[in-house]
Amino acid sequence: MDEAFEEWKSKKFALTVPLNVVALRDSIPPSWIKEFIQSQGKRLKFTVKFNGSLESIFSELSVPVGKSKVKPSSIMVADVVSIGDSWLNFAIKKALIEPIQDVEDQDWYNNLSTKWKVLLRRNSEGEIDPEGKIWSAPYRWGCMVIAYNKVKFRKNNLAPMEDWSDLWCPELRGRISMVDSPREVIGAVLKYMGASYNTENISSQIPGGRDAIHQNLTLLAKQVRLFDSAHYLKAFAVGDVWVAVGWSSDVLPVVKRMSNIAVVVPKSGSSLWADLWAIPATSRIETEPIGGRVRGPSPLFHQWIEFCLQTARALPFKQEVVPGASPAAIEGPVVVPKELFEGKPKLDTNLIGGVPPSDILEKCEFLQPLSDSTLADYRWLAANMQKPEHRLMDRVHQAVSSLVRFVSQISLKNSTKISS
């Protein structure tokens, strides 16, 4: 027995702590994973699963759960998931995520800008509330931008784009593609009219009220050839449109592969978006076990957030490895050393390290939850908006189909020659 006891004492038993993260693909620098594992040592059992879209992540979080077992691979039992700020109020209201505990004791929270604290503190209905709880933590943000083809503009003697009002230029009729988001499209009209994205009472705060917005929205619809969040950049890349209006996270990776493109944040301000870390709520899951997770977040949750918000983590954003900016840059652009871009093609843009200039950033806004009455106005405007026909994408699909048939015919001819 003594010999057996001594043998048992000689063995090393390591306590491993799991941290399962579901992240939006291409939203975090690849170096983060390696560096976080190194920072935590052998005690960490770290897994990262990437998902193609925030909509997909949110859809899986929203799946109804009953008494059937939840799989360990399910997003709803991850320790941390990516969520977009536009989904935050709904996720809170439907109890899809849970509040972060003990945030006031955490350095990462205390070091956050007041702008973030205002955005993140919500009541149980998902509404911004200074007395509410903190439901998420930011790790990346960006803005709505306008990209345009400089060659097409020069050939047609058009001035460079600077603001939302340029979208109404008569020469650009049918030459614009734009995301299919009522909040962004109507928001662009509001900014064009000198109002806020978060205007609550359209009738009293906007001269001419809903009818005036509808009139400008109708004019914009005639300018836009394609409203389509999935394909608006494809139309821009093939040259069917000269201007693309979309989120910087979409636009910047695409235009870097193109030449003679400029990207601007409108000088009257733009909408801001943010990617956030949130904790899926396990209280609504009735089964035991709930995948691979114990009830309650991982003990390493705060370490992960602290890591993502460290100053050193901002470098990949400055290097444009990943589009966007570090949460610390919300107060304004930081100095970006020129040597980071030596030997790299420089994009013509007013973004500085992914951040709008300070005078423009002051006019930018995060999209806040709207009241029921304002949402009703948005629904009315969207329902009465005449969108362009999707002939453009039909032509794109036809061109792709023709190319596939052509390649197939060539392959068939070659195989016939070989067999003969």
Side-chain angles (χ1 to χ4, degrees), residues 88-96 123-127 135 372:
L88 185 58
N89 65 315
F90 189 82
I92 296 171
K93 193 172 184 178
K94 297 298 181 181
L96 303 180
N123 59 28
S124 58
E125 293 297 309
E127 300 166 341
W135 296 80
D372 290 341

Side-chain angles (χ1 to χ4, degrees), residues 111-404:
N111 292 331
L112 276 181
S113 164
T114 303
K115 293 180 181 179
W116 288 117
K117 293 177 180 178
V118 170
L119 178 73
L120 301 177
R121 195 172 283 282
R122 309 285 181 107
N123 59 28
S124 58
E125 293 297 309
E127 300 166 341
I128 292 177
D129 184 347
E131 302 300 321
K133 299 177 180 179
I134 298 295
W135 296 80
S136 60
Y139 68 92
R140 181 178 77 139
W141 66 281
C143 57
M144 183 67 67
V145 296
I146 301 175
Y148 66 94
N149 189 312
K150 294 191 292 184
V151 173
K152 297 290 187 182
F153 270 56
R154 282 196 297 265
K155 286 183 178 179
N156 291 273
N157 297 317
L158 295 174
M161 299 208 73
E162 294 184 346
D163 211 348
W164 294 112
S165 58
D166 296 328
L167 296 178
W168 279 260
C169 174
E171 289 80 6
L172 292 179
R173 181 163 182 166
R175 299 293 186 184
I176 301 171
S177 65
M178 192 171 185
V179 294
D180 189 13
S181 166
R183 192 73 197 272
E184 296 292 358
V185 175
I186 296 172
V189 175
L190 290 171
K191 295 299 285 185
Y192 166 62
M193 299 176 69
S196 165
Y197 278 94
N198 299 308
T199 300
E200 274 294 335
N201 194 325
I202 288 176
S203 298
S204 63
Q205 294 179 260
I206 304 296
R210 194 168 67 174
D211 291 336
I213 296 173
H214 178 253
Q215 182 178 359
N216 285 319
L217 187 60
T218 301
L219 293 174
L220 178 62
K222 293 178 180 179
Q223 297 289 99
V224 177
R225 192 169 184 175
L226 177 71
F227 287 103
D228 191 317
S229 298
H231 300 108
Y232 73 104
L233 287 171
K234 293 179 182 177
F236 182 63
V238 299
D240 277 322
V241 296
W242 302 348
V243 178
V245 184
W247 299 287
S248 56
S249 54
D250 288 347
V251 174
L252 294 177
V254 171
V255 301
K256 283 180 181 178
R257 301 192 294 267
M258 304 169 64
S259 58
N260 294 305
I261 302 298
V263 177
V264 297
V265 184
K267 64 181 182 181
S268 61
S270 183
S271 66
L272 300 177
W273 56 263
D275 289 338
L276 315 168
W277 296 125
I279 304 172
T282 56
S283 57
R284 66 193 184 100
I285 301 175
E286 301 175 4
T287 62
E288 289 285 359
I290 52 168
R293 174 181 164 189
V294 296
R295 294 197 181 277
S298 167
L300 291 177
F301 173 80
H302 285 295
Q303 283 91 325
W304 171 246
I305 305 302
E306 187 79 45
F307 171 85
C308 294
L309 294 176
Q310 288 174 353
T311 303
R313 304 286 85 76
L315 184 59
F317 294 118
K318 296 177 184 178
Q319 293 175 316
E320 300 178 354
V321 174
V322 174
S326 167
I330 195 67
E331 296 294 342
V334 293
V335 177
V336 181
K338 293 182 179 179
E339 54 266 24
L340 291 179
F341 300 98
E342 288 181 357
K344 297 180 181 179
K346 182 174 174 57
L347 178 66
D348 185 357
T349 180
N350 61 351
L351 288 166
I352 306 170
V355 182
S358 296
D359 60 327
I360 295 178
L361 183 58
E362 290 176 358
K363 305 170 188 174
C364 293
E365 307 169 75
F366 282 108
L367 301 181
Q368 299 178 6
L370 298 175
S371 64
D372 290 341
S373 61
T374 307
L375 284 173
D377 287 332
Y378 272 67
R379 283 193 288 270
W380 182 87
L381 290 167
N384 289 277
M385 175 182 170
Q386 293 183 356
K387 293 185 179 180
E389 297 180 6
H390 286 251
R391 295 174 183 172
L392 172 62
M393 291 316 301
D394 291 340
R395 291 205 308 275
V396 171
H397 292 316
Q398 289 172 4
V400 172
S401 299
S402 299
L403 179 61
V404 171

